[in-house]
Amino acid sequence: MNALLLVAHGSRRKQSNDEVVHLAEKLKKNCGEQYDIVKPAFLELSDILIPEGIEQCIAEGATSITVLPYFLNSGRHVVEDIPNIINRCTAQHANINISLSPHLGASDLMVDLLISTAVNSTLVSA
Amino acid sequence: MNALLLVAHGSRRKQSNDEVVHLAEKLKKNCGEQYDIVKPAFLELSDILIPEGIEQCIAEGATSITVLPYFLNSGRHVVEDIPNIINRCTAQHANINISLSPHLGASDLMVDLLISTAVNSTLVSA
């Protein structure tokens, strides 16, 4: 079974983390052909850190897990922290295929998403 | 003339801010029909803050400016800080139409972008 783990930074604001949880639920409804399981996880500031997210996927039967960093910039979290955590998880779960996706901001389609988002702008009155 | 102002948080890491500058350049190449001018600006930690970005657009001849928050979550920056700054800019430039776009994370197409990003994942060896 294939799992997708959506990894966000995590926030002290519960509402921000809830948005990621809801996005993962929306992803699950829309990618049924590619992924049997979709879970959210956070780099920090949450109970569901990346190792817990990976263990949740495995508990639901995942044999292959794709980790997708929900980050815009290729900062230290994307370049060092997440790969280091994934390396440790891979060593602990040698029978599971764990893949690391490029971070969201690296997508070639970001430009299209931005243009389509801007279409829904609202005039601000003086 | 229509301008698009891409507003990121801003980072102490020059490389992160440069990524936003490059993304704005890429946007400019790909949205010629909708926007004559595309500029980056930052909420903080940069020389180009939102008011400066708006002034740059006006200096290049913009009469209509769409401000697009390059943010994933609807936190305080998106809900309060950016709208407050835009309100002040609107009062200062009453002859310019300034519109505020939803933030990037609110896009209905985010799910598609995530799925397409995950396709390019790389297996991490144990």
Side-chain angles (χ1 to χ4, degrees), chain A residues 79-92:
Chain A
V79 174
E80 293 178 19
D81 298 342
I82 295 176
N84 287 343
I85 293 168
I86 298 305
N87 279 334
R88 288 198 293 274
C89 291
T90 303
Q92 285 166 7

Side-chain angles (χ1 to χ4, degrees), chain A residues 2-113:
Chain A
N2 295 325
L4 183 64
L5 189 67
L6 181 67
V7 173
H9 184 278
S11 168
R12 285 184 186 84
R13 291 178 68 250
K14 183 177 181 299
Q15 189 190 334
S16 281
N17 293 349
D18 285 348
E19 283 182 14
V20 178
V21 172
H22 293 148
L23 181 60
E25 287 167 358
K26 201 171 163 190
L27 260 173
K28 189 171 185 174
K29 287 180 189 152
N30 287 274
C31 68
E33 288 179 19
Q34 289 115 309
Y35 302 102
D36 309 289
I37 300 160
V38 179
K39 295 276 181 193
F42 300 87
L43 183 62
E44 57 189 49
L45 302 169
S46 165
D47 293 336
I48 315 168
L49 301 181
I50 297 173
E52 285 75 35
I54 284 180
E55 278 162 24
Q56 285 182 2
C57 291
I58 294 171
E60 292 200 11
T63 50
S64 174
I65 302 171
T66 298
V67 177
L68 172 47
Y70 187 56
F71 284 73
L72 291 177
N73 288 113
S74 63
R76 186 169 48 81
H77 293 325
V78 164
V79 174
E80 293 178 19
D81 298 342
I82 295 176
N84 287 343
I85 293 168
I86 298 305
N87 279 334
R88 288 198 293 274
C89 291
T90 303
Q92 285 166 7
H93 304 287
N95 55 333
I96 307 291
N97 286 330
I98 302 181
S99 300
L100 182 56
S101 161
H103 67 290
L104 176 70
S107 171
D108 287 337
L109 300 176
M110 180 57 80
V111 163
D112 298 331
L113 187 66

Side-chain angles (χ1 to χ4, degrees), chain A residues 4 6 13 15-16 19-20 23 26-27 30-31 34-35 66 68 70-75 86-87 90 97-105 107-111 113-118 120-126, chain B residues 4 6 13 15-16 19-20 23 26-27 30-31 34-35 66 68 70-75 86-87 90 97-105 107-111 113-118 120-126:
Chain A
L4 183 64
L6 181 67
R13 291 178 68 250
Q15 189 190 334
S16 281
E19 283 182 14
V20 178
L23 181 60
K26 201 171 163 190
L27 260 173
N30 287 274
C31 68
Q34 289 115 309
Y35 302 102
T66 298
L68 172 47
Y70 187 56
F71 284 73
L72 291 177
N73 288 113
S74 63
I86 298 305
N87 279 334
T90 303
N97 286 330
I98 302 181
S99 300
L100 182 56
S101 161
H103 67 290
L104 176 70
S107 171
D108 287 337
L109 300 176
M110 180 57 80
V111 163
L113 187 66
L114 287 166
I115 294 171
S116 71
T117 303
N120 296 311
S121 62
T122 306
L123 188 63
V124 181
S125 300
Chain B
L4 182 65
L6 181 68
R13 291 176 68 250
Q15 190 190 335
S16 281
E19 283 181 15
V20 178
L23 181 59
K26 201 171 162 188
L27 260 173
N30 287 275
C31 68
Q34 290 115 308
Y35 303 102
T66 299
L68 170 48
Y70 187 57
F71 284 74
L72 291 176
N73 288 113
S74 65
I86 299 305
N87 280 334
T90 302
N97 286 331
I98 302 180
S99 300
L100 183 56
S101 160
H103 68 289
L104 176 72
S107 171
D108 287 337
L109 300 176
M110 180 58 82
V111 162
L113 187 65
L114 287 166
I115 294 171
S116 72
T117 302
N120 296 311
S121 62
T122 306
L123 187 65
V124 181
S125 298

